[in-house]
Amino acid sequence: MVEDRVRVVIAEDSVLLREGLTRLLTDRGHEVVAGVGDAEALVKTITELHAEQALPDVVVADVRMPPTHTDEGVRAAVQLRRTHPGLGVLVLSQYVEERYATELLAGSSRGVGYLLKDRVAEVREFVDAVVRVAEGGTALDPEVVAQLLGRSRKQDVLAGLTPREREVLGLMAEGRTNSAIAKQLVVSDGAVEKHVSNIFLKLGLSPSEGDHRRVLAVLTYLNS
């Protein structure tokens, strides 16, 4: 059992993977309230749950779903974020698809995630990502962050950041805490806090924006 139990709807056309995700989450004490195989069924399910005042905390959806297996899943995710701003959305993709990742991240900065399917094999990290998104946080796959930030490095907005600050920003985008970043970089928590403060300062993110500055810092680059 887990302390922060979340309610999940899974949208995945592969029955085997859908059942596997369900097992991973339920084994850790979470509740999978529905599992569907296409984007239309996903939107219908969420609409019905909303009518019953029983919205889940998070939707886990494949980017590519029937009938065309192109972008139905991410389109449904974007639609759901517009109609239900408090609903967390975590999309899974076989490959890094920058256009879809950027589109998903273009709206509200709360409760959004984009992971490669290979990440599901790392059970603890995957479940932690689901919980983090359900609670309004962000979970971005390191490969997604690397590609999107790599593209953004061409923009002048990054000119003021040091290489270390860019590295810290990348780890922030993966949803890591300051302590986790310090452990990864083998530095002190205080050093990470200083880097994060410098990033906020250089991006013009004032203290009034609170904890959301971490997400805003990443989205500033992704949208630049």
Side-chain angles (χ1 to χ4, degrees):
M1 295 296 292
V2 294
E3 293 182 4
D4 300 320
R5 185 169 183 262
V6 299
R7 300 175 69 251
V8 188
V9 168
I10 298 175
E12 166 60 56
D13 61 293
S14 167
V15 176
L16 183 61
L17 181 53
R18 188 167 71 239
E19 293 300 319
L21 294 175
T22 299
R23 180 65 181 270
L24 287 180
L25 292 167
T26 55
D27 280 355
R28 288 182 173 266
H30 302 294
E31 179 185 0
V32 176
V33 297
V36 298
D38 60 71
E40 183 178 349
L42 170 60
V43 174
K44 180 180 179 182
T45 297
I46 295 301
T47 300
E48 292 174 348
L49 290 171
H50 179 258
E52 298 169 2
Q53 297 185 335
L55 270 179
D57 300 300
V58 59
V59 166
V60 178
D62 190 357
V63 166
R64 298 174 180 268
M65 299 184 73
T68 68
H69 291 279
T70 55
D71 61 357
E72 284 87 349
V74 73
R75 293 290 180 192
V78 171
Q79 177 184 337
L80 291 174
R81 285 181 59 76
R82 289 183 185 139
T83 54
H84 307 287
L87 177 65
V89 173
L90 174 62
V91 299
L92 303 177
S93 179
Q94 193 69 38
Y95 312 102
V96 178
E97 300 178 85
E98 291 185 17
R99 178 168 64 89
Y100 297 152
T102 302
E103 183 173 7
L104 184 68
L105 294 165
S108 170
S109 61
R110 289 183 55 80
V112 63
Y114 189 112
L115 297 181
L116 296 183
K117 286 188 174 180
D118 288 346
R119 199 66 57 189
V120 176
E122 300 173 23
V123 177
R124 180 62 181 272
E125 289 189 21
F126 169 71
V127 176
D128 285 349
V130 172
V131 174
R132 188 159 64 247
V133 171
E135 295 177 344
T138 306
L140 298 181
D141 194 283
E143 291 298 321
V144 176
V145 173
Q147 287 202 25
L148 294 179
L149 287 181
R151 179 189 62 187
S152 298
R153 287 194 178 99
K154 300 176 183 179
Q155 304 296 328
D156 290 339
V157 71
L158 288 180
L161 290 184
T162 66
R164 176 63 88 181
E165 287 166 355
R166 292 179 181 178
E167 190 173 11
V168 169
L169 179 58
L171 293 171
M172 286 167 58
E174 294 175 23
R176 303 200 189 196
T177 64
N178 284 3
S179 295
I181 293 173
K183 183 177 181 180
Q184 175 72 20
L185 300 180
V186 195
V187 298
S188 68
D189 287 1
V192 173
E193 290 175 5
K194 183 176 180 180
H195 288 312
V196 172
S197 294
N198 287 338
I199 290 169
F200 292 158
L201 180 63
K202 292 176 181 180
L203 291 180
L205 298 173
S206 65
S208 63
E209 289 162 319
D211 294 337
H212 301 317
R213 289 189 297 171
R214 296 180 75 88
V215 177
L216 292 173
V218 176
L219 294 181
T220 296
Y221 289 113
L222 299 184
N223 293 326
S224 64

